[in-house]
């Protein structure tokens, strides 16, 4: 294991994505946040919806994941925000070391 995880969430605007990303970086809970515009299809309140969203992909140290999840939930506008954690099992050792340094 690399000691690095990727945490993914979605928000409803570019402004919300940038605000969340800046807060994550300023708190050193993530080394990098990539913001990607997407379209999501899902069921909510018994209705199938299609909405524009912005996906935030956060690279962080695995030891910071719990604090990052708390931060995302506290600064999110959704009732039930998506927060998915994926462990990184390998990659560029120099990049993974940088992620660890930025989040310690």
């Amino acid at each position: 294991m690399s000691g690095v995880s990727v945490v993914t969430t979605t928000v409803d605007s570019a402004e919300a994505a940038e605000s969340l990303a800046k807060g994550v970086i300023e708190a050193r809970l993530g080394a990098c946040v990539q913001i990607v515009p997407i379209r999501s299809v899902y069921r909510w309140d018994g209705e199938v919806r299609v909405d524009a969203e912005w996906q935030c992909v956060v690279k962080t140290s695995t030891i910071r994941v719990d604090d990052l999840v708390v931060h995302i939930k506290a600064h999110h506008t959704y009732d039930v925000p998506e927060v998915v954690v994926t462990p990184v099992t390998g990659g560029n050792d120099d990049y993974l070391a940088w992620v660890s340094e930025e989040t310690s």
Side-chain angles (χ1 to χ4, degrees), residues 9-27 32-37 53-58 71 75-76:
T9 191
T10 53
V11 296
D12 61 359
S13 71
E15 295 79 16
E18 288 183 20
S19 177
L20 184 64
K22 287 178 182 176
V24 165
I25 299 304
E26 288 170 357
C32 174
V33 182
Q34 294 171 318
I35 300 170
V36 183
E53 290 189 298
W54 284 257
Q55 184 178 63
C56 299
V57 181
V58 184
H71 180 90
H75 294 88
H76 212 288

Side-chain angles (χ1 to χ4, degrees), residues 81-95:
E82 170 192 4
V83 182
V84 176
V85 178
T86 306
V88 174
T89 60
N92 177 347
D93 290 337
D94 294 333
Y95 179 79

Side-chain angles (χ1 to χ4, degrees):
M1 295 294 288
S2 68
V4 171
S5 293
V6 174
V7 178
T8 306
T9 191
T10 53
V11 296
D12 61 359
S13 71
E15 295 79 16
E18 288 183 20
S19 177
L20 184 64
K22 287 178 182 176
V24 165
I25 299 304
E26 288 170 357
R28 297 189 80 83
L29 295 171
C32 174
V33 182
Q34 294 171 318
I35 300 170
V36 183
I38 61 171
R39 292 194 61 73
S40 293
V41 180
Y42 59 99
R43 183 180 314 276
W44 188 253
D45 289 334
E47 173 186 337
V48 175
R49 300 188 54 165
V50 179
D51 289 318
E53 290 189 298
W54 284 257
Q55 184 178 63
C56 299
V57 181
V58 184
K59 275 68 75 182
T60 189
S61 296
T62 301
I63 61 171
R64 299 292 278 162
V65 164
D66 291 341
D67 292 336
L68 176 57
V69 171
V70 168
H71 180 90
I72 290 171
K73 290 172 70 177
H75 294 88
H76 212 288
T77 60
Y78 289 3
D79 293 337
V80 182
E82 170 192 4
V83 182
V84 176
V85 178
T86 306
V88 174
T89 60
N92 177 347
D93 290 337
D94 294 333
Y95 179 79
L96 299 175
W98 174 77
V99 169
S100 294
E101 289 169 17
E102 287 298 309
T103 56
S104 58

